[in-house]
Amino acid sequence: MQSTLILTGIRVAGARHLSSSSFCCRNTFLAAITCLPAATRRLFLTTTVAMAEAKFTKEELQTRLTQEQFNVTQNKGTEAAFSGDYVNEKGKGMYNCIVCGVELFSSDTKFDSGSGWPSFTDIAKADTVKLVEDTAHGMSRTEVTCAKCHAHLGHVFDDGPGPTGQRFCINSCSLKFDKEN
């Protein structure tokens, strides 16, 4: 049985008898790497660098974030379509995590998907996001979270343009846009 594994933002085909839900804990994740084909395992192990985690108290985040930002990033909420600050943003710059500040998406990969949320074809840097299987609300989707602080960002779909074929559909309120000067 073939399945697709989601490894800290990288999809790897060819793994056997595993699903993305296997990676809820680090030990399971590390054990699963041994099941990858040898060439894929070597590539993954030589290119993956662990990102130091950022931890914040609930009280600190409730003080620092708006109610909507807190609900989206900490409770996996979703802002209303076409309501976010960055849906129509056309400026050059970097989109960072509103919680921890890590760079997530470049404006160079942003496009108008018509979905009502900022959409990107790719992440800015490897290992800045984590992809997690999401079966909430009777749907099967792939959730996008910040790899550093685990904030919910949005979801990724396989209907995007360009070479990646991906559409990272991200809540504006989970982002902070740093415009280039």
Side-chain angles (χ1 to χ4, degrees), residues 59-134:
E59 293 76 22
E60 178 185 356
L61 292 177
Q62 285 177 322
T63 301
R64 196 162 50 88
L65 302 175
T66 67
Q67 186 175 1
E68 184 177 39
Q69 289 169 333
F70 183 86
N71 183 50
V72 168
T73 62
Q74 304 306 300
N75 299 324
K76 300 183 181 191
T78 302
E79 66 192 3
F82 300 100
S83 69
D85 292 340
Y86 304 130
V87 175
N88 298 311
E89 176 63 52
K90 305 286 189 224
K92 289 275 195 193
M94 290 299 298
Y95 291 87
N96 304 322
C97 177
I98 193 70
V99 175
C100 70
V102 72
E103 290 183 343
L104 299 169
F105 302 97
S106 167
S107 61
D108 293 337
T109 66
K110 188 173 187 287
F111 70 100
D112 183 4
S113 67
S115 66
W117 292 275
S119 297
F120 305 87
T121 58
D122 208 353
I123 57 176
K125 296 178 185 175
D127 300 327
T128 58
V129 302
K130 187 175 181 181
L131 303 180
V132 181
E133 183 177 27
D134 178 2

Side-chain angles (χ1 to χ4, degrees), residues 1 12 17 19 25 53 57 60 62 87 89 103 110-111 118 128 136 138 140 142 150 157 165-168 175-176 180:
M1 177 178 138
V12 180
H17 308 291
S19 70
C25 93
E53 289 188 14
T57 66
E60 178 185 356
Q62 285 177 322
V87 175
E89 176 63 52
E103 290 183 343
K110 188 173 187 287
F111 70 100
T128 58
S140 180
T142 304
H150 308 290
F157 303 94
Q166 294 184 316
R167 172 174 55 98
F168 287 86
L175 302 171
K176 179 184 180 298
E180 284 181 8

Side-chain angles (χ1 to χ4, degrees), residues 134-141:
D134 178 2
T135 57
H137 310 295
M139 295 181 271
S140 180
R141 304 178 291 178

